[in-house]
Amino acid sequence: QVQLVESGGGLVQAGGSLRLSCAASGTMSSLSISAMGWYRQAPGKQREVAATITRGGNTNYADSVKGRFTISRDSAKNTVLLQMNSLQPEDTAVYYCWFYNGIMNYAYWGQGTQVTVSS
């Protein structure tokens, strides 16, 4: 059984930085993972994509985080990182790790990690 384990959330002041990490446990072929990424869900809002990265290294960012967030991955280790700089109160949300298995057309989700940015 595959599980995604996230770490790195917490409370930070506006302008600060946090680094989120997500690792997959269990049996998962790195070749089956087409893309990894991070979604976020603020209170009362729908879940939205923050950043994604394909196995080939192509990245995509939400307009609201461009220039502040950087996503990276180690496909061989099935890990994905999100470096978040210049955090703002509007970045406050639960951040979810996401792995997409392109062969099975199936998405794995982490349990979520809270990021709170105080003003």
Side-chain angles (χ1 to χ4, degrees):
Q1 184 175 355
V2 174
Q3 286 188 322
L4 302 184
V5 180
E6 300 143 335
S7 62
L11 173 65
V12 65
Q13 289 187 331
S17 299
L18 284 174
R19 190 188 196 203
L20 303 183
S21 176
C22 176
S25 64
T27 301
M28 178 188 288
S29 169
S30 61
L31 295 177
S32 67
I33 302 302
S34 302
M36 305 172 176
W38 294 90
Y39 283 67
R40 65 185 185 179
Q41 187 167 17
K45 295 187 177 181
Q46 290 188 332
R47 191 175 298 188
E48 62 176 10
V49 63
T52 60
I53 185 168
T54 68
R55 190 156 63 89
N58 293 319
T59 58
N60 182 57
Y61 296 93
D63 288 342
S64 58
V65 307
K66 282 181 181 177
R68 301 187 297 121
F69 290 12
T70 302
I71 189 169
S72 59
R73 91 278 186 249
D74 184 334
S75 295
K77 295 182 179 179
N78 283 333
T79 60
V80 61
L81 305 174
L82 186 66
Q83 178 66 43
M84 305 185 293
N85 298 328
S86 301
L87 284 161
Q88 300 300 316
E90 51 266 35
D91 295 316
T92 295
V94 177
Y95 284 70
Y96 295 91
C97 177
W98 168 83
F99 279 30
Y100 176 66
N101 185 323
I103 295 176
M104 298 177 60
N105 189 27
Y106 183 81
Y108 300 93
W109 292 93
Q111 79 283 359
T113 185
Q114 178 70 47
V115 171
T116 303
V117 185
S118 62
S119 57

